[in-house]
Amino acid sequence: MKSILDSLKGLPWILRLILCLPALDIVWSVARVLNGIVKKNVVYIVIGVLSIVPGAVFFWVVDLILVIIGKQPLLVD
């Protein structure tokens, strides 16, 4: 799981930007869940699960803004 997170973090800027689009933001939601599992943090897991369906409307905008300014998507550190 750690290797998946590392490969997502190593993507070029344009690919991270494309993955922030509404239909593809599910990739970052799954990455949030994996990040919670790797860090053994229940809060990250819950936020990751909630960002898949109910929070998708909010998270894709936040992820898009963060990637445009040159940072990683929210809670994928």
Side-chain angles (χ1 to χ4, degrees):
M1 282 187 260
K2 182 97 169 113
S3 63
I4 294 171
L5 289 173
D6 290 338
S7 63
L8 283 174
K9 290 177 193 173
L11 288 175
W13 179 81
I14 191 72
L15 286 178
R16 284 188 284 148
L17 186 68
I18 290 170
L19 289 176
C20 287
L21 296 176
L24 300 174
D25 196 53
I26 190 82
V27 172
W28 297 118
S29 298
V30 171
R32 286 182 191 92
V33 173
L34 292 177
N35 192 24
I37 292 170
V38 167
K39 291 186 174 189
K40 297 179 181 158
N41 190 336
V42 178
V43 175
Y44 276 25
I45 295 171
V46 170
I47 290 174
V49 170
L50 289 176
S51 72
I52 292 174
V53 178
V57 175
F58 170 73
F59 276 101
W60 80 267
V61 174
V62 173
D63 290 342
L64 186 66
I65 291 169
L66 286 173
V67 169
I68 287 173
I69 63 173
K71 299 188 180 205
Q72 290 291 329
L74 190 64
L75 298 178
V76 183
D77 47 18

